Amino acid sequence: MQVIKTKKELQIKINEAKLEGKKIGFVPTMGALHQGHLSLIKRARNENDIVVCSIFVNPVQFNNQEDLKTYPRSLEQDAAFIKPYVDYVFAPEVEEMYPEKPTETFDFETLETVMEGQYRPGHFKGVAVVVSRLFTMVQPNNAYFGEKDFQQLAIIQKMVKMLKMSVNIVPCEIIREQNGLAMSSRNRRLSAKGFEYASLIYKTLSKSKMLKHIKIEEVKQFVIQEIEKDSIFEVEYFEMVDAET
Ligand code: AMP
């Protein structure tokens, strides 16, 4: 495994692989890697000849500067963790990805104005900017994305269609902690108590799946009341939506 910091160096490696007719699998991440990321990487390893993992905390997708500042960063540890499964780790500095302010524009219509789009304005445009640039650099045959970030997956699928890119997007199942909480880099910021409380989200969502014979509005009310019952959490939203649109 080799850690690459520049686009130029990456391009040389990708050109080599393409010349040899190798199939490239790509896993974009923001680092602080855990078993959730590893499941994507292992799948990429099984389905491709070359595996590229990018580690880049993308400032353009953060609408909250405090979140950007406190986002966990651990490149050395991350590289050691994924070493057995990856050929190239692409870990550029911000200046390498954005020598100038990005000017790409995307219009994802309602897909970017609801749920995470509503609560994190500009987030998905920032995701599309970085992922489209990474796709152009890595030229993957397959790219792996977790269903944990389901709306992001829908955005990426739409982006690939809009830009007529030939990459195949592979959705990957959610990996969870034993208590049901979805694994996430930001979980490192939870206290032990917060970590336990947070499992209420998954438990409630699982219960809600069993409520098949009541109206959507009633399911919504049930979920919100259940999660807010101990006054530890305040629900921003709970939605039931079409998976593609
Ligand atoms: P991130 O580093 O948070 O940008 O995540 C990089 C990729 O890993 C995204 O496609 C995520 O959806 C995916 N991912 C993160 N956590 C999990 C998880 N617990 N299960 C499955 N995929 C995940």
Side-chain angles (χ1 to χ4, degrees):
M1 188 197 73
Q2 198 179 332
V3 179
I4 295 178
K5 304 289 287 182
T6 66
K7 286 178 276 192
K8 214 169 165 183
E9 209 185 333
L10 178 68
Q11 197 180 17
I12 293 170
K13 299 297 178 191
I14 296 298
N15 286 347
E16 266 173 28
K18 291 276 168 194
L19 269 177
E20 291 169 12
K22 300 240 165 98
K23 204 195 269 183
I24 300 175
F26 178 44
V27 183
T29 81
M30 297 207 297
L33 302 179
H34 50 68
Q35 292 293 336
H37 298 109
L38 198 63
S39 71
L40 273 57
I41 289 171
K42 285 185 175 171
R43 180 141 179 214
R45 179 79 279 163
N46 281 336
E47 298 175 357
N48 302 275
D49 304 309
I50 299 273
V51 176
V52 181
C53 172
S54 63
I55 297 181
F56 179 64
V57 181
N58 176 33
V60 177
Q61 73 186 65
F62 283 78
N63 58 307
N64 176 339
Q65 288 311 302
E66 190 56 26
D67 188 24
L68 174 61
K69 227 170 61 191
T70 53
Y71 199 87
R73 289 164 171 87
S74 51
L75 180 59
E76 257 179 50
Q77 226 178 309
D78 288 346
F81 181 53
I82 59 175
K83 193 172 173 182
Y85 310 101
V86 169
D87 298 281
Y88 303 116
V89 173
F90 181 50
E93 298 296 330
V94 172
E95 298 70 34
E96 182 70 10
M97 282 306 283
Y98 302 116
E100 282 148 33
K101 206 166 175 248
T103 53
E104 294 97 320
T105 52
F106 294 93
D107 183 2
F108 295 108
E109 301 173 340
T110 47
L111 211 46
E112 65 176 323
T113 59
V114 296
M115 300 186 292
E116 290 304 280
Q118 183 185 345
Y119 285 90
R120 301 164 78 182
H123 169 66
F124 288 122
K125 277 195 173 49
V127 169
V129 167
V130 77
V131 174
S132 60
R133 286 189 181 198
L134 288 167
F135 280 0
T136 305
M137 291 175 203
V138 178
Q139 300 172 55
N141 300 79
N142 298 306
Y144 297 78
F145 289 86
E147 288 179 338
K148 175 176 81 70
D149 303 281
F150 201 85
Q151 195 173 1
Q152 169 172 279
L153 184 54
I155 288 273
I156 299 294
Q157 271 157 338
K158 190 157 182 173
M159 180 196 83
V160 164
K161 246 190 221 163
M162 285 185 336
L163 299 180
K164 299 187 174 57
M165 290 176 146
S166 60
V167 49
N168 174 43
I169 303 300
V170 185
C172 300
E173 66 169 351
I174 302 173
I175 305 297
R176 297 182 179 281
E177 302 287 355
Q178 280 206 329
N179 70 4
L181 178 65
M183 288 191 180
S184 165
S185 305
R186 287 188 181 85
N187 291 354
R188 290 190 190 181
R189 304 197 319 224
L190 290 172
S191 64
K193 226 175 184 170
F195 180 86
E196 274 321 305
Y197 282 136
S199 68
L200 177 64
I201 299 168
Y202 177 62
K203 286 178 187 140
T204 307
L205 293 178
S206 301
K207 273 192 208 164
S208 78
K209 276 169 85 177
M210 290 182 269
L211 304 175
K212 290 199 197 310
H213 303 293
I214 65 171
K215 293 192 185 114
I216 286 183
E217 270 317 308
E218 289 168 353
V219 179
K220 280 191 183 180
Q221 262 179 23
F222 165 80
V223 167
I224 293 170
Q225 276 170 11
E226 193 75 0
I227 295 180
E228 293 192 337
K229 70 179 175 204
D230 293 329
S231 306
I232 290 162
F233 297 119
E234 193 183 317
V235 177
E236 283 186 336
Y237 64 86
F238 168 71
E239 297 291 351
M240 296 173 79
V241 297
D242 180 281
E244 275 171 40
T245 62

